[in-house]
Amino acid sequence: MHRISDEQRRIRLGRRHLLAPSVRADSPVAVADALVALHATDAATVFLSVCARLTDPSVQTVEQSLYEDVTLVRLLSMRRTLFAVSAELAPYVDASTARAIAVKERRTLLSHLAEDANGLDEAWLAEAEESVLAAIATRGSATGSQLSTDVPALKTKITVFPGKKYETVQGVATRVIRLLAADCRIRRDRPRGSWTSSQFRWTASDPWPRLSPTEARTELARRWLQSYGPATESDLKWWTGWSLADVRKALAAAGAEEIDLSEGTGYVTPGDTAPEEPLEPWAALLPALDPSAMAWADRRFHLTADHSAALFDRSGNVGPTVWWNGQIIGGWAQRADGEIVWRLLTDPGSEAAAAIAAEASRLSAWVAEARITPRFRTPLERELTA
């Protein structure tokens, strides 16, 4: 069995995640394909993750891919989390993961409607959805509040978990819009405000071609291994949210090859075992929830365990991180006046310090007047902005 060291994994990370200057990309789609999927729960993360890997970082370039060319699309998918993926990969993500989530979301809402005293049912939901689609067709794009004005049914409130101690009253607008988005009948358009805003407008969309879930899982597993391998069954299970049985079937169908890691057995795509030449030294400032920090369940090859408490919140969400040659060595933040500040948890030497300062300057230049506050605040990020 071939062996791949932690050092080789870090070299692969820098090269395949487009983090070293010599391998940076010229388009957001190239970045998305290299990373398979970009976390999109926090709107700013997509821009920060992409621009950290572009030769010429630009907000306008990312916006063009998201809203004009629509070559980069957001999907509720892995682990019921919002991701941005290339339009070419989207049908595979939809069939392998998002379809099952959409079905579950609809079943849950129908259950809540049935339990509510208003007597709402599937027919009511279908009529509400068609009214929303008609309103969007009339406007071209619309915010949630505009849709609630146009469609009175969206102002309906229901009692969720009636009779239980956690009973609560909720509006249905967000849930109905979420269902339409999960079914790919609508998509997120330009936000209200700047690129950091998560208050999106909605516009019409067409469902993705229906693929075999088994074939789609195989293709997604293959692409993920190309970017993140060597990785373990547990890593892929964590990233996708699939069952262990589905993970094993997908790895087998993809022809995954077993390799020996420093701890345990990992997998790579067939033949992907040759060592790679070291890259030039590189530094990066990556945002909260960036895939390079979040894609593995076991991150010990690029993260010292003692640093986790400062860099992650209690739910396991990573904050903004500072990288040097494939290792997380600190965190960064943006203060209210726009200054980019950072703290190193490991002393990497003067060469690294200079490279990190250069990356901070590069980040500050393209972010310009925008202000970034991660949705999930972490201890070190809070300290740096205090």
Side-chain angles (χ1 to χ4, degrees):
M1 185 187 298
H2 290 278
R3 179 179 176 81
I4 296 181
S5 68
D6 286 350
E7 176 61 24
Q8 266 292 311
R9 294 182 75 181
R10 292 191 287 269
I11 291 172
R12 286 174 175 233
L13 188 154
R15 188 185 306 280
R16 300 185 185 191
H17 292 205
L18 309 179
L19 287 166
S22 62
V23 295
R24 284 177 179 158
D26 59 2
S27 76
V29 173
V31 174
D33 282 337
L35 297 172
V36 185
L38 302 159
H39 280 267
T41 303
D42 190 334
T45 298
V46 175
F47 289 82
L48 292 163
S49 289
V50 169
C51 287
R53 297 166 168 91
L54 288 181
T55 302
D56 297 308
S58 163
V59 169
Q60 292 72 28
T61 299
V62 182
E63 288 181 325
Q64 169 125 6
S65 294
L66 284 167
Y67 308 124
E68 296 178 32
D69 301 337
V70 197
T71 50
L72 198 61
V73 295
R74 294 180 174 94
L75 290 176
L76 182 68
S77 49
M78 286 71 71
R79 306 188 314 281
R80 295 180 68 251
T81 299
L82 194 64
F83 283 89
V85 302
S86 68
E88 189 270 335
L89 182 62
Y92 297 95
V93 174
D94 180 64
S96 67
T97 310
R99 281 296 85 238
I101 292 171
V103 169
K104 186 175 181 179
E105 291 275 322
R106 183 170 296 276
R107 186 167 58 241
T108 298
L109 179 54
L110 287 172
S111 176
H112 289 323
L113 293 178
E115 293 173 349
D116 184 73
N118 290 326
L120 306 178
D121 57 14
E122 190 169 4
W124 177 90
L125 177 58
E127 183 177 349
E129 288 179 303
E130 291 304 318
S131 297
V132 170
L133 293 174
I136 289 176
T138 299
R139 288 182 177 269
S141 68
T143 64
S145 59
Q146 288 173 328
L147 291 173
S148 291
T149 298
D150 295 347
V151 182
L154 293 185
K155 295 181 180 178
T156 302
K157 294 186 181 297
I158 59 173
T159 301
V160 179
F161 304 115
K164 296 183 170 60
K165 63 180 181 180
Y166 41 88
E167 173 184 315
T168 185
V169 176
Q170 297 179 353
V172 301
T174 299
R175 287 179 176 270
V176 173
I177 292 170
R178 182 181 174 93
L179 279 186
L180 287 168
D183 284 340
C184 302
R185 300 174 74 186
I186 63 175
R187 63 175 174 82
R188 290 162 179 81
D189 202 7
R190 289 185 180 272
R192 296 177 61 187
S194 77
W195 56 273
T196 63
S197 171
S198 294
Q199 296 184 5
F200 293 101
R201 295 178 176 86
W202 298 91
T203 192
S205 182
D206 294 320
W208 300 105
R210 292 302 174 97
L211 305 177
S212 158
T214 299
E215 293 177 5
R217 283 192 291 269
T218 300
E219 178 63 10
L220 188 60
R222 185 187 66 80
R223 295 197 189 202
W224 186 83
L225 279 181
Q226 283 181 333
S227 296
Y228 297 94
T232 66
E233 288 181 344
S234 296
D235 291 330
L236 182 57
K237 181 179 184 297
W238 182 88
W239 186 80
T240 57
W242 299 341
S243 69
L244 183 57
D246 281 340
V247 165
R248 287 173 173 169
K249 289 177 184 177
L251 288 173
E257 185 174 339
E258 287 190 6
I259 52 92
D260 185 27
L261 298 177
S262 58
E263 294 185 26
T265 299
Y267 294 87
V268 295
T269 51
D272 187 20
T273 56
E276 299 190 13
E277 290 298 315
L279 293 159
E280 74 274 24
W282 61 269
L285 271 64
L286 300 183
L289 302 178
D290 187 86
S292 293
M294 292 288 289
W296 296 271
D298 184 354
R299 301 157 189 150
R300 285 175 291 182
F301 77 97
H302 69 51
L303 174 67
T304 301
D306 291 345
H307 298 168
S308 296
L311 298 172
F312 288 78
D313 71 8
R314 293 181 180 180
S315 298
N317 299 302
V318 72
T321 50
V322 176
W323 293 67
W324 177 245
N325 288 342
Q327 290 182 294
I328 298 175
I329 63 168
W332 66 271
Q334 185 190 43
R335 289 183 174 158
D337 63 0
E339 181 186 9
I340 302 296
V341 293
W342 63 94
R343 183 184 301 164
L344 304 183
L345 304 175
T346 297
D347 181 5
S350 59
E351 180 186 15
I356 291 163
E359 284 300 305
S361 178
R362 180 174 181 266
L363 172 63
S364 181
W366 73 260
V367 166
E369 300 302 314
R371 297 294 177 263
I372 304 157
T373 302
R375 176 172 295 190
F376 305 107
R377 307 292 301 276
T378 51
L380 182 53
E381 188 270 337
R382 287 182 182 274
E383 287 180 28
L384 290 172
T385 55

